[in-house]
Structures are given as C-alpha cells and as structure tokens.
Amino acid sequence: MRQSFLENKIAQLVAPVIADKGLSLVMVSMQGPVLQIMAEDPKTRNLGVDACATLSREISALLEVEDPI
C-alpha cells in the first residue's frame, strides 16, 4: 500500500518513539479525519493493551507539538 505524503511524514515522526519502546511500526493510515498507527512487538507480532496505551499517549503528545496534520 502506497503512503501519502502526510502518512509518510507522520511515520517519520512516530517511528523513533515506537522504536524506543522496542516495537516496530507496521503502518500509518489517514482516512479522512481518522489517523491509524499500527505497531507491534517484533518478537510476538502483538501489542498489549498497556503498551498500546503508553504508546498512544506519547504519540499524541508528539503530534500535538509537531502538528503535521
């Protein structure tokens, strides 16, 4: 799936945050007003609820500051 310019820009912003958690960025998708960011633990190919919540808070703060949208 080909990423738009905005999806690519967001992926570049969030990838280091995701990598710092020992996770892998799977995809970034922007469908209208909905931004979807998928990440996983490369060992298990899953992402637990607690890790998801922590990651969501950190990415939200980053996107608030950088304001790429």
Side-chain angles (χ1 to χ4, degrees):
M1 181 179 197
R2 190 171 172 104
Q3 286 186 319
S4 70
F5 175 79
L6 181 58
E7 291 167 335
N8 190 42
K9 183 175 180 177
I10 292 169
Q12 290 177 5
L13 286 172
V14 302
V17 174
I18 293 170
D20 284 347
K21 299 285 181 204
L23 303 170
S24 297
L25 177 62
V26 175
M27 70 170 240
V28 174
S29 174
M30 188 81 181
Q31 299 294 321
V34 178
L35 173 62
Q36 181 181 27
I37 298 171
M38 295 178 69
E40 68 183 11
D41 181 328
K43 296 174 190 161
T44 64
R45 300 193 64 173
N46 290 308
L47 185 64
V49 173
D50 293 334
C52 184
T54 300
L55 193 57
S56 177
R57 284 190 292 275
E58 289 188 27
I59 289 173
S60 292
L62 174 66
L63 294 178
E64 188 69 30
V65 170
E66 295 294 330
D67 196 21
I69 299 173

